[in-house]
Amino acid sequence: MDLSSLSYHKFVNFAMEEARLCTTLTPLPYQEKVRTMKVKDDKTVLHALSYQAPKIRLLRSLTIDGGSAMQVLDFAGIPEPMFDMPIFCANFFTIPSLSIIVLDLNPMYDTRTQQDYKEKYYLKLLPLGQKYAELLPWGDKITSESLSFFSPIVIWTKFATSQTKHDVLFSAFRDYFKAWLELVDQALPETNSLQILHNKEAQHRYLTWRAEKDPGHPLLKKLVGEDLARDLVRNFLFEGADSLGTKTFLDYFPEYRREDGSVNQKRSVIGKSYETRPWNSNGEFIGEMS
Ligand code: BLA
């Protein structure tokens, strides 16, 4: 499969145009830094955007354009802690033989246990999730820990790369992003300071997880080297991991502590599970809690 027609730039352009229709975007400085980053393999180009907006602490995008060899998108929208609305998450990794896709409005609180949070945000979106769960079927076993960060409408899928699937994915991306912008539009600020603190910690926990365990890191290291990859991850992709809270990865995820006190480098200590979609069409969790 020739990937030259499967770039993710049009996804990003769509999202930015759509966001500008709904809100006022203010550019953040980090995007300039990425423009000058030297990539080890000269066929590959990184492109980064980062903005803030009212209610949105960070709206950022990283695309890795590896021409016909690889196309990657990591796109996220992260709210201000005054709001408990979900985090927009699009992570697409495409090589000629295979695409690995996560598209979701990641919940701030685990929807498997927080029924009220699930109903507040996802009840209305279940038909949308259902539509794409059929077009983009469940992608087989997954790192068990990741499930707690996913919502009942998550699209987790793997497919043989093709124009048709790419078009379906673009449609899903547009629908999910528009749904997220609508949540942003409707979101009311939390006034209870304790609840704001909870939101902040929930967001910090999420960022801490991803800054430590995101499956894209090894590839970023290969492309820009260890130091720049770390900088990208902590100061751009998951900005806030070092500033929104003081708890460490092991405070949030003690099961990763090794005997010498260091962090277990494995991505999962439980292992992979969930061979089939663990939510039914009513958004009820039907998998085993691990
Ligand atoms: C694979 N990416 C995966 C997998 C998931 C995700 C679930 C399957 C492997 C697994 O079960 O861990 C994505 N995991 C997520 C997301 C969350 C999570 C979004 O917990 C959020 C909470 N992917 C990228 C980027 C790159 C990338 C930017 O988003 C590269 C720079 C690569 N993802 C990538 C690769 C794999 C992968 C190479 C397959 C390799 C592997 O499974 O280790």
Side-chain angles (χ1 to χ4, degrees):
M1 178 77 210
D2 174 14
L3 299 187
S4 45
S5 63
L6 302 191
S7 138
Y8 287 118
H9 291 301
K10 69 175 184 188
F11 290 51
V12 177
N13 292 341
F14 168 84
M16 287 307 163
E17 276 169 30
E18 201 66 24
R20 281 198 181 90
L21 293 176
C22 306
T23 187
T24 309
L25 301 180
T26 309
L28 293 169
Y30 198 95
Q31 50 181 346
E32 299 302 326
K33 194 168 174 182
V34 177
R35 217 157 279 161
T36 59
M37 270 187 191
K38 191 106 197 68
V39 181
K40 294 194 169 166
D41 139 21
D42 51 344
K43 291 195 304 287
T44 305
V45 183
L46 297 186
H47 194 250
L49 292 174
S50 60
Y51 295 91
Q52 61 181 33
K55 302 185 187 179
I56 305 174
R57 199 177 64 74
L58 180 63
L59 183 68
R60 70 12 169 220
S61 159
L62 178 71
T63 49
I64 305 175
D65 183 347
S68 59
M70 174 177 64
Q71 296 291 333
V72 176
L73 174 67
D74 182 340
F75 192 103
I78 305 173
E80 288 286 352
M82 298 266 275
F83 301 88
D84 69 356
M85 67 208 178
I87 291 169
F88 183 80
C89 165
N91 279 75
F92 306 159
F93 173 81
T94 291
I95 51 175
S97 57
L98 176 73
S99 291
I100 302 177
I101 305 298
V102 175
L103 174 63
D104 193 21
L105 310 189
N106 287 156
M108 202 77 94
Y109 299 99
D110 190 339
T111 61
R112 298 173 301 176
T113 49
Q114 309 278 307
Q115 193 70 23
D116 49 345
Y117 186 84
K118 181 168 90 178
E119 284 172 10
K120 179 174 177 183
Y121 287 114
Y122 297 102
L123 216 52
K124 272 195 287 192
L125 295 173
L126 289 176
L128 176 67
Q130 194 54 32
K131 171 179 169 190
Y132 288 108
E134 284 161 27
L135 293 167
L136 298 166
W138 189 254
D140 204 3
K141 287 186 180 172
I142 187 168
T143 296
S144 306
E145 287 86 349
S146 294
L147 248 277
S148 72
F149 299 101
F150 290 173
S151 84
I153 62 161
V154 67
I155 297 173
W156 152 242
T157 193
K158 287 189 273 190
F159 50 76
T161 302
S162 75
Q163 187 67 52
T164 313
K165 285 282 191 178
H166 188 79
D167 294 344
V168 174
L169 184 62
F170 187 30
S171 161
F173 177 86
R174 291 196 305 263
D175 286 352
Y176 273 58
F177 192 65
K178 284 192 281 191
W180 184 72
L181 284 176
E182 203 154 308
L183 295 184
V184 172
D185 187 53
Q186 290 161 4
L188 297 172
E190 185 60 61
T191 49
N192 180 322
S193 56
L194 194 62
Q195 192 53 42
I196 296 174
L197 222 62
H198 277 155
N199 292 346
K200 202 166 166 182
E201 179 162 304
Q203 192 178 123
H204 185 243
R205 180 175 179 275
Y206 174 89
L207 294 168
T208 301
W209 165 257
R210 296 204 59 189
E212 185 75 34
K213 294 295 176 196
D214 214 61
H217 298 180
L219 181 66
L220 287 178
K221 264 190 215 162
K222 238 173 42 193
L223 287 174
V224 297
E226 186 145 6
D227 293 348
L228 278 181
R230 193 186 154 79
D231 190 42
L232 262 176
V233 163
R234 301 205 75 92
N235 299 322
F236 173 63
L237 292 176
F238 307 114
E239 192 277 323
D242 291 324
S243 59
L244 278 184
T246 52
K247 285 193 181 171
T248 65
F249 181 82
L250 290 174
D251 290 335
Y252 290 124
F253 309 101
E255 61 281 13
Y256 281 83
R257 185 184 300 279
R258 287 202 311 217
E259 272 179 23
D260 65 358
S262 62
V263 176
N264 191 331
Q265 291 302 302
K266 278 195 207 161
R267 204 152 70 237
S268 169
V269 291
I270 309 175
K272 291 196 181 190
S273 46
Y274 309 106
E275 210 164 345
T276 56
R277 187 175 187 84
W279 286 275
N280 67 18
S281 56
N282 296 323
E284 287 152 356
F285 190 71
I286 50 169
E288 296 226 347
M289 282 285 262
S290 50

